[in-house]
Amino acid sequence: MAKKKQHGSGAICSVLLKYIHPAKYISEKFKNYSSDKRLDNCIECGQEIRNVKKKNHVVILFRHDDHDGQDLYAVKRWVKVVTEGAAEHIFRDEEQGNPTTDNPNEKEAGGDVIDENVFIAGSHAEDIALVRAQGLDVDDDNLPAPENIPIATTSNTTDDSHQEIGWGWSGIDHRKQLNISEVRANIYGITSDAMEHVSFVGMFFLLFPKSLIETIIEQTNKKLDSPTNMGEFMRWIGIWLLLSTLSGYKRSDFWSMKPIELYEGAPYRLNEFMTLARFESILKALTLTKEKPPPFKDRFWEVREMIDCWNDHMQETFVPSWVSCLDESMSIWFNRYTCPGWVYCPRKPHPYGNEYHTICCGLSGIMYAMEIVEGKDRPKDQPTDSNDRLVGKTGALLLRLCESLYTSGKVVILDSGFCVLKALIALRQKGVFASALIKKRKYWPRYINGEAIATHMASKQVGECDSLRGTLDAVPYDVFCMKEPNYIMKLMSTYGGLTIPKNQRISKRTWKEHGETKNITFQYTEPFANHFNYRHAVDDHNNLRHGLPSIESTMLTHNWPIRVFSFILSVTEVNIYKAFMYFVWKQDQYPASLVKFRRLLAQAFINNEYLNQESARECKRGKKRVRLEHSLRTAPRHASKFVGGRWHKKAKAKYQQFVCRGTGCKKQVRTYCSCMVGHWLCQECHTLHMIECLN
């Protein structure tokens, strides 16, 4: 075993940039660097104890020719010695006292340590205040949208573009007036008959851009000693899917050389598909973009191309049904300092990490657009959306996510976070209808008088509805109101009416009034029925994606761009599952769970058709390639047999020989073919074996 190189004055070392201090100096000198970027040819000049992340650590001081005059240092465990210095200058650890022991599981990051109470915070006002006090982003359900914050105006200033007409539905559904039908979802160019014959891998490439996989392979190969290809990379993804069907095991357990046991270790082995070294080398080299870093600091530059490519592909491929739901999705990540756009979203089951605004088809449940929330980490030099100035940030966001719905007359169901009337009007002007739940978030939404609505509805019976009509920018809208036992439910909408949809189920309310229990049954009118039927489409998708074991919980990494890749991969997996349920399977064909479906998907990826195509191409390259796959090798010393993925070294003779297994051959050998470890072959029989495989 090679001796570990020691630290000392004059030693040449290499350090990952993310571990070098002062962090502020490094971030200014290197605007955008990947997590595996190193500073090489550093010269060690000292060792001492310094306070890093409020703990004392042994640090190595070093200098670099390109950073002359700057005091650079890093915690000792992150400094890799390339060339040792003189023996008399080696650092002695005992001279450094007793610093705090490094936690091998702790990852360094710049900034202060986050209060541990943040990670047990709930949705109470005190919890939200605690998180904000740490300087962290919070997506609070009680904060108003920017467009709904009142603007100080003079008393004689009015908005001429808005007109409130009065109570009472006009009897016209502005969507049905245009004779727009309620269409099903479909995939461009694929008929229902053809869809029944689509394979798992085929469905994957219908819902995930093949060009993105090709880009990842091309860029990853630049860091690999032996390049990968489409077949092997798809198998690599398939292994991740298979690993994601179980939890509680170390990754290396699935490549263990120990025999499979009932009560110990992983239940299967993956050595026959890919070696652990190859699997880890692809993961380490994984590069997700071909774009170069911009001249300004942008912490999102490595994932922008990936997200945009996925969105463009879904817009070109998938046609949503007549109704969609727009909501938020979370990607879990606990380290605020290594996660650009980190946010705390108290109303979500998984409140820490990246927040994405996403939109799902209401009938099929397929997610077809996403946008990451950048928050305070959004670079100032990044171009802004021109619609921000015209229709506000909420309106611009809705226009971007609903771009594939333009001019279609389809409907989008929104929660109270998007109840901005001007945004709904902007969608209507693009040919998209929408309704949004109205909620008082410190202020009532602009143009909505909540107190006047409550006064008008006070005399109504529970379940009774009414409509407050108006226009904004000459576009008609309705505020639909329904009396509930304890409040008034309100929807702002550019479509719908107070008619009851066909086959609408009976709803029931029970409440107490003056000590007396009361019950009532009624049916929802159209806007309320659609809201309750489709508001959970994104949440259902999120619940499937987060259900344990999951891809994101299995694909653990300290490399944030890989976390974004695992998020998109898990979104695609749920999309494939939803697509087969909607387009292909009959109800009695549904798998028992997503995990069972994931096993089937993993099997298809591990044995994908690209492997056969690439194998056929390799055979045509001639015998040279065949010899690489069928090389003649020699068994190790004392080897007796090869069982359970390892050599049994119990032979008494150091170079024990065995009878060749070639037809009619009696030669004594200790050689074998690499394709059949332990199957004894002499050189002549091995040549015949290669010819047989070639033919």
Side-chain angles (χ1 to χ4, degrees):
M1 182 176 178
K3 184 180 177 182
K4 185 177 180 180
K5 295 178 181 177
Q6 295 181 299
H7 297 277
S9 295
I12 307 298
C13 64
S14 173
V15 193
L16 287 169
L17 283 177
K18 61 182 179 181
Y19 296 137
I20 301 178
H21 297 275
K24 185 176 180 180
Y25 171 80
I26 294 298
S27 63
E28 289 174 353
K29 292 291 288 184
F30 302 91
K31 297 296 183 184
N32 300 292
Y33 59 85
S34 58
S35 59
D36 59 349
K37 179 69 174 177
R38 307 185 73 91
L39 185 63
D40 297 318
N41 299 319
C42 301
I43 303 174
E44 296 186 4
C45 52
Q47 174 179 275
E48 61 183 49
I49 297 174
R50 289 197 182 185
N51 191 282
V52 179
K53 287 186 66 179
K54 297 186 178 181
K55 291 183 180 180
N56 289 331
H57 294 270
V58 176
V59 301
I60 300 296
L61 308 178
F62 50 87
R63 58 183 173 83
H64 195 277
D65 292 341
D66 295 339
H67 306 276
D68 192 24
Q70 178 61 46
D71 179 22
L72 301 175
Y73 63 95
V75 174
K76 185 176 180 178
R77 67 190 300 262
W78 305 121
V79 181
K80 178 182 178 181
V81 178
V82 179
T83 306
E84 285 186 352
E88 61 270 20
H89 295 151
I90 291 175
F91 300 140
R92 306 298 176 187
D93 291 340
E94 57 269 17
E95 298 173 0
Q96 300 303 324
N98 295 306
T100 301
T101 302
D102 289 337
N103 179 358
N105 296 318
E106 181 180 46
K107 282 286 179 181
E108 272 195 273
D112 298 327
V113 177
I114 298 177
D115 189 330
E116 291 182 358
N117 291 322
V118 166
F119 299 106
I120 58 173
S123 57
H124 298 293
E126 297 83 358
D127 297 325
I128 295 171
L130 169 67
V131 179
R132 282 210 178 94
Q134 295 283 313
L136 307 176
D137 283 340
V138 178
D139 185 358
D140 185 5
D141 197 34
N142 296 311
L143 285 182
E147 297 88 342
N148 290 334
I149 298 175
I151 302 173
T153 58
T154 57
S155 58
N156 60 351
T157 301
T158 59
D159 189 346
D160 295 332
S161 65
H162 178 256
Q163 180 183 3
E164 189 174 285
I165 298 175
W167 286 96
W169 181 46
S170 64
I172 296 176
D173 180 336
H174 302 294
R175 182 170 181 272
K176 291 181 180 177
Q177 188 181 27
L178 299 175
N179 198 28
I180 300 172
S181 59
E182 297 182 353
V183 297
R184 286 172 53 84
N186 66 82
I187 293 177
Y188 280 118
I190 308 293
T191 63
S192 57
D193 292 336
M195 189 65 73
E196 294 181 1
H197 303 286
V198 174
S199 65
F200 286 136
V201 175
M203 187 68 79
F204 174 78
F205 282 119
L206 284 176
L207 300 174
F208 192 96
K210 189 175 182 179
S211 60
L212 177 57
I213 295 290
E214 291 170 345
T215 296
I216 293 173
I217 293 172
E218 178 186 352
Q219 299 304 312
T220 300
N221 281 340
K222 294 179 180 179
K223 298 180 181 180
L224 285 173
D225 295 332
S226 176
T228 187
N229 51 44
M230 181 65 75
E232 185 185 38
F233 190 76
M234 291 295 290
R235 171 169 282 185
W236 184 81
I237 293 176
I239 290 175
W240 275 117
L241 293 173
L242 193 58
L243 294 176
S244 302
T245 61
L246 296 169
S247 60
Y249 302 100
K250 293 188 297 183
R251 201 152 64 216
S252 58
D253 289 346
F254 294 89
W255 279 271
S256 173
M257 301 305 290
K258 296 180 180 179
I260 297 173
E261 297 183 10
L262 181 61
Y263 300 108
E264 184 180 352
Y268 47 77
R269 301 290 185 265
L270 300 172
N271 299 286
E272 62 179 297
F273 303 119
M274 186 178 293
T275 64
L276 177 60
R278 181 60 172 173
F279 184 84
E280 295 290 351
S281 65
I282 293 176
L283 177 61
K284 185 177 180 180
L286 193 64
T287 307
L288 304 167
T289 181
K290 62 178 182 294
E291 298 296 324
K292 300 298 181 184
F296 53 87
K297 185 174 182 179
D298 181 8
R299 298 184 67 190
F300 300 89
W301 72 272
E302 291 180 276
V303 302
R304 291 191 189 279
E305 180 189 15
M306 180 166 52
I307 295 174
D308 290 344
C309 185
W310 188 87
N311 282 330
D312 292 342
H313 177 80
M314 290 301 292
Q315 184 173 343
E316 294 170 0
T317 305
F318 181 68
V319 184
S321 65
W322 68 273
V323 61
S324 296
C325 172
L326 196 152
D327 207 341
E328 299 91 3
S329 300
M330 294 295 296
S331 175
I332 305 169
W333 188 278
F334 287 104
N335 193 332
R336 175 249 194 270
Y337 299 109
T338 59
C339 178
W342 192 93
V343 69
Y344 170 60
C345 192
R347 65 185 178 276
K348 293 295 183 182
H350 303 279
Y352 312 103
N354 285 118
E355 182 182 16
Y356 292 80
H357 289 121
T358 53
I359 185 168
C360 278
C361 169
L363 296 187
S364 67
I366 294 174
M367 186 175 289
Y368 59 91
M370 66 174 69
E371 181 175 305
I372 192 170
V373 177
E374 299 181 24
K376 296 177 182 178
D377 289 323
R378 180 177 176 82
K380 295 179 181 179
D381 296 319
Q382 186 71 18
T384 58
D385 190 339
S386 59
N387 286 318
D388 285 357
R389 180 174 49 84
L390 299 175
V391 295
K393 291 186 177 180
T394 304
L397 170 66
L398 296 183
L399 289 174
R400 290 193 298 272
L401 288 173
C402 297
E403 185 176 354
S404 62
L405 305 180
Y406 285 1
T407 71
S408 67
K410 294 177 180 179
V411 175
V412 179
I413 306 298
L414 306 167
D415 73 359
S416 59
F418 306 98
C419 61
V420 176
L421 185 57
K422 196 170 186 66
L424 268 66
I425 298 301
L427 281 177
R428 177 64 188 88
Q429 290 171 334
K430 294 290 186 180
V432 181
F433 295 91
S435 70
L437 180 66
I438 297 174
K439 179 182 175 182
K440 185 177 182 180
R441 296 181 168 214
K442 192 175 182 179
Y443 311 105
W444 287 107
R446 196 176 182 191
Y447 308 115
I448 304 299
N449 190 334
E451 284 72 22
I453 291 174
T455 301
H456 175 81
M457 296 292 293
S459 59
K460 305 287 185 182
Q461 295 294 320
V462 172
E464 194 172 344
C465 299
D466 204 347
S467 169
L468 178 61
R469 291 178 291 131
T471 61
L472 180 62
D473 294 334
V475 177
Y477 71 89
D478 290 271
V479 177
F480 293 109
C481 307
M482 183 177 71
K483 180 71 177 291
E484 292 279 4
N486 301 318
Y487 65 97
I488 309 299
M489 182 176 178
K490 298 172 283 291
L491 294 173
M492 59 172 67
S493 179
T494 55
Y495 84 102
L498 297 182
T499 57
I500 297 173
K502 187 178 180 181
N503 300 324
Q504 176 61 28
R505 63 182 182 273
I506 303 296
S507 299
K508 183 180 180 180
R509 296 290 186 273
T510 301
W511 74 100
K512 284 194 174 184
E513 187 175 313
H514 306 299
E516 181 183 353
T517 301
K518 294 191 174 184
N519 296 284
I520 192 171
T521 58
F522 60 94
Q523 292 176 292
Y524 292 134
T525 53
E526 183 180 14
F528 296 99
N530 289 341
H531 177 80
F532 286 115
N533 286 339
Y534 303 112
R535 64 176 180 174
H536 51 75
V538 173
D539 289 336
D540 290 346
H541 197 287
N542 293 338
N543 290 337
L544 282 171
R545 182 171 52 84
H546 284 304
L548 296 177
S550 67
I551 294 176
E552 290 175 275
S553 65
T554 302
M555 212 169 178
L556 296 177
T557 176
H558 291 288
N559 188 335
W560 178 75
I562 294 180
R563 167 60 61 163
V564 178
F565 174 72
S566 69
F567 171 78
I568 296 177
L569 186 63
S570 58
V571 165
T572 304
E573 179 209 29
V574 177
N575 279 350
I576 297 170
Y577 181 61
K578 292 280 188 180
F580 273 98
M581 291 178 69
Y582 186 77
F583 295 115
V584 181
W585 295 327
K586 297 178 181 178
Q587 194 163 2
D588 59 349
Q589 295 177 311
Y590 292 175
S593 65
L594 178 63
V595 173
K596 184 176 180 181
F597 171 76
R598 188 178 297 148
R599 288 196 186 99
L600 299 174
L601 193 63
Q603 181 182 8
F605 274 50
I606 289 173
N607 302 300
N608 66 84
E609 54 263 32
Y610 293 97
L611 289 168
N612 297 330
Q613 296 172 9
E614 285 152 4
S615 177
R617 284 197 296 268
E618 288 169 356
C619 287
K620 292 178 181 179
R621 293 173 188 169
K623 296 181 180 180
K624 184 178 179 181
R625 177 61 182 170
V626 175
R627 290 193 185 101
L628 292 174
E629 294 178 349
H630 299 277
S631 58
L632 188 66
R633 299 183 182 180
T634 304
R637 297 169 183 174
H638 296 287
S640 59
K641 58 182 177 179
F642 187 82
V643 179
R646 62 175 181 172
W647 284 103
H648 284 219
K649 300 179 181 180
K650 297 182 179 180
K652 292 182 180 180
K654 192 174 182 180
Y655 302 104
Q656 180 68 49
Q657 293 186 335
F658 303 89
V659 177
C660 174
R661 294 189 181 180
T663 305
C665 186
K666 301 291 184 180
K667 289 184 180 179
Q668 295 283 327
V669 296
R670 51 190 299 265
T671 53
Y672 62 93
C673 182
S674 59
C675 73
M676 296 186 295
V677 182
H679 187 86
W680 309 112
L681 290 174
C682 64
Q683 187 170 358
E684 290 79 6
C685 293
H686 178 258
T687 303
L688 295 174
H689 165 69
M690 283 197 300
I691 294 172
E692 183 180 349
C693 291
L694 180 62
N695 295 330

